[in-house]
Amino acid sequence: MSMMAERTRAVQAHAAAAWSVVSDMAGYADHAEGLAETTITAGSGLGAIRRCVDTSGADWQETCVLWDPGSRFAVEVDVGSYPLKFRTLFSAFRGTWWVEEQEGETVVGIRFEADLRRLAATMRRQIEQKIAHDLDDILESYERAMAGMGD
């Protein structure tokens, strides 16, 4: 069973400034509360590999599978490297981030898509709500980081 959570936010920054914040794959932990550290272990842009460490010290790998400079990027999680608590929930997980101009505004968006394991399917709504809340927090953090960059 699949699930998806997506959030967008209009920000007070030029698209180029917004992209510089959103596309900082190594700095993602600065915006995602559950992460203690994110580092790029290989490559850049398309094919880059990011290591994520959560606040309990568990880590996993993600690979950049889409890189459209100035516009969007996506990562796929190596779910085999996921900590057990996540491996029991997800058989696949992908995140997409984007920045676009819409009607004179800069809009930032994030979408997380996952294939849920059978056990997790019964908790689908709770998982989607938790992830949506996390995405709102990340967008709020991005917006704080962009404050004054668009002036």
Side-chain angles (χ1 to χ4, degrees):
M1 172 178 276
S2 317
M3 60 126 293
M4 190 267 293
E6 178 177 302
R7 290 291 192 264
T8 60
R9 180 175 292 207
V11 296
Q12 297 293 316
H14 294 292
W19 176 252
S20 73
V21 172
V22 172
S23 67
D24 180 8
M25 289 178 55
Y28 183 55
D30 296 339
H31 305 285
E33 186 178 305
L35 295 178
E37 177 185 353
T38 45
T39 55
I40 303 302
T41 61
S44 64
L46 186 63
I49 298 173
R50 174 167 68 187
R51 177 177 175 254
C52 298
V53 181
D54 71 13
T55 54
S56 71
D59 70 326
W60 62 91
Q61 303 290 319
E62 302 175 339
T63 301
C64 181
V65 295
L66 170 69
W67 186 262
D68 185 4
S71 179
R72 67 183 53 238
F73 76 96
V75 299
E76 287 186 2
V77 174
D78 173 0
V79 291
S81 70
Y82 247 169
L84 183 59
K85 64 184 176 184
F86 296 130
R87 264 195 328 258
T88 60
L89 298 176
F90 306 114
S91 59
F93 199 99
R94 178 184 175 119
T96 304
W97 289 256
W98 66 91
V99 174
E100 55 189 28
E101 301 251 345
Q102 292 180 359
E103 300 176 15
E105 293 186 306
T106 299
V107 176
V108 174
I110 309 171
R111 177 185 311 118
F112 285 171
E113 300 168 273
D115 291 335
L116 300 175
R117 297 203 184 274
R118 186 176 201 172
L119 175 65
T122 61
M123 302 181 299
R124 178 179 176 215
R125 187 160 176 71
Q126 291 172 322
I127 293 168
E128 285 177 329
Q129 289 173 341
K130 167 69 171 116
I131 290 174
H133 179 269
D134 291 347
L135 294 179
D136 286 334
D137 289 348
I138 293 165
L139 288 171
E140 186 175 315
S141 179
Y142 282 163
E143 192 168 26
R144 285 192 304 271
M146 293 171 203
M149 293 178 76
D151 300 339

